[in-house]
Amino acid sequence: DVKVTQSSRYLVKRTGEKVFLECVQDMDHENMFWYRQDPGLGLRLIYFSYDVKMKEKGDIPEGYSVSREKKERFSLILESASTNQTSMYLCASSLRFQGNQPQHFGDGTRLSIL
Amino acid sequence: GQNIDQPTEMTATEGAIVQINCTYQTSGFNGLFWYQQHAGEAPTFLSYNVLDGLEEKGRFSSFLSRSKGYSYLLLKELQMKDSASYLCAVRDTEGSTLGRLYFGRGTQLTVWP
């Protein structure tokens, strides 16, 4: 069965901290994505990657960076956390050439920045 | 820019039928997805349309008209467990954006007994 695993369901950090959110998929998918989801705003794409060491900016990359050193792992980094980055973060993965295959999502990390 | 519109909220009663509409204006089109998301959980895939017409999957059906930039999700024989947010997403054309999805803001469906 398809599995996307995010390292934490809930995380509380302080303003200014460097925060790492980890995502691992076991489906040998080429594409991986990081979204944040806020009430009334829906899912917004932060960064995505189509291969190891490759990354592309999404719609709201400011204040974030990513790392993809291995195919199965995609990390989201908040360089210096701020309160406006309090949100639900969702990781997803998909095949490179997708056809009718959807993106598969992890359970999400609810991040609070104090 | 990319624009995906769907109603913010809908309500219906158990056993009824509900139709959730989605209109889109995107620079490229390579399929439309519907996801279901229960509160505090991950979105889960419901349906996919890339050609015009109706796709049926049990109690759920999805329709697409590419010329009108329009889709709907039809839920029949509603159950309480169908109370959730329903997300419409359009996939961009393969290429530099590798078929990324553009999501609508979601329609919160509440099913009453």
Side-chain angles (χ1 to χ4, degrees):
Chain A
D1 201 12
V2 165
K3 192 68 177 174
V4 179
T5 302
Q6 295 184 231
S7 52
S8 305
R9 287 301 303 273
Y10 300 94
L11 205 54
V12 180
K13 296 291 183 180
R14 295 207 173 272
T15 303
E17 280 192 71
K18 191 169 186 176
V19 180
F20 293 85
L21 302 184
E22 307 287 346
C23 175
V24 177
Q25 49 95 4
D26 64 359
M27 297 162 285
D28 202 34
H29 283 169
E30 293 85 0
N31 302 341
M32 296 188 75
F33 306 83
W34 274 107
Y35 297 88
R36 63 177 283 176
Q37 186 174 33
D38 301 286
L41 296 178
L43 280 163
R44 293 182 291 167
L45 184 63
I46 305 171
Y47 266 99
F48 57 102
S49 167
Y50 53 90
D51 203 350
V52 175
K53 298 193 185 296
M54 306 303 289
K55 61 183 180 184
E56 295 284 343
K57 292 180 180 178
D59 300 319
I60 51 165
E62 297 78 18
Y64 303 93
S65 63
V66 289
S67 172
R68 190 145 180 223
E69 295 297 316
K70 293 184 178 181
K71 188 176 185 179
E72 67 270 20
R73 186 179 296 270
F74 192 35
S75 303
L76 180 70
I77 303 152
L78 285 65
E79 297 292 343
S80 177
S82 64
T83 55
N84 63 12
Q85 292 178 310
T86 291
S87 187
M88 169 70 92
Y89 289 87
L90 289 161
C91 175
S93 72
S94 71
L95 291 168
R96 178 75 172 97
F97 298 103
Q98 298 166 54
N100 63 353
Q101 297 302 304
Q103 288 184 16
H104 297 274
F105 285 84
D107 287 335
T109 297
R110 188 165 292 283
L111 175 64
S112 296
I113 307 296
L114 306 179
Chain B
Q2 321 295 343
N3 196 39
I4 319 287
D5 281 322
Q6 50 182 132
T8 304
E9 293 178 326
M10 297 185 72
T11 60
T13 52
E14 220 173 356
I17 299 173
V18 71
Q19 177 175 311
I20 303 174
N21 295 324
C22 172
T23 58
Y24 63 90
Q25 292 175 299
T26 56
S27 54
F29 180 85
N30 192 24
L32 188 144
F33 293 84
W34 284 96
Y35 283 84
Q36 180 191 60
Q37 186 179 24
H38 286 101
E41 298 183 10
T44 55
F45 168 69
L46 284 178
S47 69
Y48 169 76
N49 296 72
V50 69
L51 299 176
D52 291 352
L54 189 68
E55 293 283 342
E56 296 187 83
K57 194 185 289 187
R59 293 189 298 115
F60 294 3
S61 305
S62 57
F63 172 83
L64 176 68
S65 170
R66 289 173 296 170
S67 63
K68 295 181 179 177
Y70 169 69
S71 174
Y72 67 73
L73 180 69
L74 193 71
L75 293 75
K76 303 176 187 175
E77 301 168 15
L78 280 172
Q79 302 174 10
M80 299 291 289
K81 68 178 181 179
D82 297 329
S83 291
S85 182
Y86 291 85
L87 311 179
C88 172
V90 174
R91 186 165 66 198
D92 203 350
T93 310
E94 302 282 349
S96 61
T97 60
L98 54 69
R100 61 157 291 178
L101 294 180
Y102 292 95
F103 281 87
R105 297 186 179 191
T107 298
Q108 183 63 48
L109 173 66
T110 303
V111 180
W112 299 102

